Amino acid sequence: MKNMKKGILLLCVFCMALVFTSCGKPMSKEELLKSSETVDVYKLHNAADKKDYCKKPIRTQAYVFSVEKDHAVLGCSVGPNAQVYIAAYLPEEELKTVQPDTVIEIAGIASEVKSMDVTTEGITVSYPHYIMKTVYLTTEAPEEVETSEVPEVSEEKN
C-alpha cells in the first residue's frame, strides 16, 4: 500500500512537471508571421465580444495613437461607432522605430480583450481593447498619415 501511494505521488509530480515545461516559450517572429491570419479591423471589432481572435496569431494594420515606455497604443476606425484599440508590447528595438500618426502592420497574439471607454464630445462609448504581449512589426517603414483628432480615453474596464 505504501509503495502504491509513493507511485501515485511520483506520477502526480511527473505530470505536474510535464505541464509546467510544456508551456514553452513565446513564438518567434518567423513562426508568428508564418502562422498568422490576416484580419481586418472590422472583423476585430465584431469578434471582440466572442473573443474569436484571443490567443490566435493574427496580422493587421493599425494607426499609432501614441508610443508609451513599454508599448504602442494603436487604433483603428471602422465607422463612427466602431473602433478597435490595441496595446502592442513590441520588442524594445522595434518599439523605438514606431512613431505616432503613422500606420503600421503588426503580427501578434492577443492575450486578452478588454472593454475601453472612450469619450468624444461628451459621449462615452465602449470599444474593444486587445492586449498583445507577443507582437512584432511586419514592415520596416511605417506609412505616414495625416494627423487626426485623437479621442480622449478614460479608464479601462475589465
Side-chain angles (χ1 to χ4, degrees):
M1 187 67 145
K2 273 188 170 183
N3 286 339
M4 190 170 170
K5 286 182 181 178
K6 284 181 183 180
I8 291 173
L9 180 63
L10 284 173
L11 182 62
C12 288
V13 169
F14 175 74
C15 289
M16 286 176 44
L18 184 62
V19 167
F20 287 126
T21 58
S22 67
C23 292
K25 60 181 181 175
M27 278 186 167
S28 72
K29 184 174 185 174
E30 292 75 25
E31 292 170 325
L32 191 57
L33 290 173
K34 285 180 186 175
S35 64
S36 61
E37 173 188 351
T38 300
V39 179
D40 65 28
V41 182
Y42 187 74
K43 283 184 181 177
L44 281 178
H45 176 77
N46 289 336
D49 289 341
K50 296 178 276 184
K51 300 187 181 198
D52 287 347
Y53 295 107
C54 198
K55 304 199 187 312
K56 292 182 183 174
I58 62 168
R59 182 187 293 218
T60 193
Q61 287 188 338
Y63 175 83
V64 181
F65 283 115
S66 66
V67 179
E68 307 300 326
K69 181 180 177 183
D70 60 349
H71 70 284
V73 178
L74 312 176
C76 309
S77 181
V78 237
N81 289 322
Q83 292 188 7
V84 173
Y85 290 90
I86 301 168
Y89 290 83
L90 295 158
E92 189 176 337
E93 62 278 0
E94 290 187 1
L95 187 61
K96 289 178 184 177
T97 67
V98 176
Q99 299 296 317
D101 301 322
T102 57
V103 173
I104 61 173
E105 184 176 286
I106 58 169
I109 300 174
S111 55
E112 61 183 305
V113 182
K114 295 182 177 184
S115 180
M116 175 185 252
D117 287 342
V118 177
T119 303
T120 307
E121 298 177 6
I123 299 171
T124 301
V125 181
S126 290
Y127 297 113
H129 185 196
Y130 287 81
I131 310 298
M132 291 187 156
K133 300 279 185 173
T134 302
V135 61
Y136 301 97
L137 291 175
T138 62
T139 55
E140 296 299 318
E143 176 187 325
E144 288 195 30
V145 293
E146 289 183 28
T147 305
S148 63
E149 187 175 314
V150 178
E152 175 186 325
V153 177
S154 63
E155 292 182 29
E156 291 182 22
K157 293 190 287 187
N158 286 332

